[in-house]
Amino acid sequence: MEQKYTLQRAINQDDAKLMQVADSIRNAYGTFFVGCGTAGKVCMAADYLFSKIARKHVNSVVASEFANYQDYLTPKTLMVAVSQSGETADVLEAIEVAKRKGVKVVSLLNVFGSTMMRMSDDLFMINAGAERAVVSTKATTAQLAVVMLLAYATAGKLQEGKLLLINAASAVNDMLNPRYDGHIKKLALLLHEKNDAFIIGRGLNYPIALEAAIKLQETCYINAQGFAGGELKHGPLALIEEGTPCIALVPNDETKAAILGNASE
């Protein structure tokens, strides 16, 4: 419920620093976005965002697997490390691997004074405040907001990106109200006592589908699984039977018709 405020704080970044890091991304010999769990899904989203907004290729790697990519690393490589706590062991180990190769490390953090902050060459505080929920919520959307700002800065369209995110924060403010809260509770009854749930998305909503599954796993202890919409027919469809909940993430973009087709399946 705090996200209408935390998004505004996340957007309030120093323009000069955003442009400086964007310049580093443009000139890097490979940029790696690295995180675990939820932060890892934010990194996956970065892969899509930089492709769509900045026409720029970046790499998304799960932190625990990052050491397998160390032979690619040079002093011209850039790492963008993402962590809510700044103390995630796998991310810290990935940063150590990067540092041994002379890689510059930029971190997206929510906890001032954390170990990750001390290990970084540069950083952005997402300013989401303490996470009180079991799952990371406001920190996740704040991380996504800063990643989007970096993508727009890399494209030379920083102010356009800021305006888009300000409008998004306003839309979230409209959404998080008592009326919508009642609607969510009504829909939650459909998931009650179900042991399985499937979430499908395409494009940017593919990593968000994976993230939605994490949320249901951590809070409801059910076998929630996220899939790319086009992958549904390549195995997961066999697990769906009458009464199985399936959540389709349907945006107003070029993937809308395709994901509605997957939902019909």
Side-chain angles (χ1 to χ4, degrees):
M1 298 301 287
E2 295 178 18
Q3 289 176 87
K4 52 193 174 185
Y5 310 116
T6 56
L7 270 173
Q8 290 281 7
R9 293 203 297 269
I11 298 164
N12 188 26
Q13 300 289 337
D14 180 74
D15 286 5
K17 183 188 278 192
L18 286 165
M19 295 306 297
Q20 179 186 336
V21 173
D23 191 53
S24 296
I25 292 171
R26 277 193 296 268
N27 296 314
Y29 185 73
T31 299
F32 288 84
F33 279 77
V34 180
C36 292
T38 290
K41 304 305 177 288
V42 171
C43 293
M44 277 188 72
D47 200 345
Y48 284 88
L49 289 166
F50 272 82
S51 174
K52 193 173 183 67
I53 296 166
R55 307 293 189 266
K56 175 72 176 174
H57 173 254
V58 298
N59 305 280
S60 167
V61 181
V62 174
S64 57
E65 291 292 315
F66 183 75
N68 294 303
Y69 294 83
Q70 61 184 301
D71 293 328
Y72 290 143
L73 306 179
T74 77
K76 294 181 180 179
T77 306
L78 179 70
M79 172 192 273
V80 181
V82 184
S83 171
Q84 192 283 131
S85 67
E87 302 293 346
T88 310
D90 287 332
V91 179
L92 296 177
E93 289 173 11
I95 292 174
E96 288 175 357
V97 169
K99 285 287 192 181
R100 286 198 293 270
K101 294 284 188 172
V103 173
K104 180 181 178 181
V105 178
V106 177
S107 291
L108 270 58
L109 296 165
N110 194 37
V111 179
F112 191 85
S114 60
T115 303
M116 200 163 137
M117 179 178 176
R118 296 193 297 273
M119 294 175 72
S120 302
D121 298 297
D122 212 339
L123 60 98
F124 292 97
M125 297 302 299
I126 62 171
N127 304 317
E131 280 286 18
R132 288 189 282 271
V134 171
V135 295
S136 176
T137 49
K138 58 190 181 184
T140 307
T141 49
Q143 288 164 351
L144 283 167
V146 176
V147 167
M148 285 189 73
L149 287 177
L150 284 172
Y152 274 99
T154 302
K157 301 176 181 177
L158 178 56
Q159 296 312 312
E160 180 183 328
K162 281 202 169 187
L163 180 61
L164 178 72
L165 285 162
I166 288 168
N167 290 336
S170 176
V172 168
N173 186 32
D174 291 340
M175 185 183 74
L176 294 176
N177 61 56
R179 266 188 310 106
Y180 204 80
D181 188 44
H183 184 56
I184 290 170
K185 287 177 180 177
K186 181 180 176 183
L187 291 175
L189 290 174
L190 299 176
L191 289 173
H192 186 54
E193 294 182 349
K194 297 289 185 180
N195 292 320
D196 299 291
F198 296 86
I199 306 99
I200 56 173
R202 281 177 173 263
L204 179 59
N205 276 312
Y206 169 39
I208 303 306
L210 297 176
E211 170 57 16
I214 289 178
K215 295 290 182 262
L216 290 173
Q217 290 164 4
E218 289 186 321
T219 55
C220 308
Y221 308 107
I222 63 175
N223 181 34
Q225 298 186 58
F227 296 99
E231 288 293 295
L232 195 64
K233 58 184 174 289
H234 299 296
L237 198 60
L239 300 175
I240 294 177
E241 57 189 33
E242 187 174 351
T244 301
C246 184
I247 300 169
L249 306 182
V250 185
N252 285 314
D253 65 15
E254 68 278 4
T255 67
K256 183 175 182 178
I259 195 66
L260 286 174
N262 299 139
S264 295
E265 283 188 276

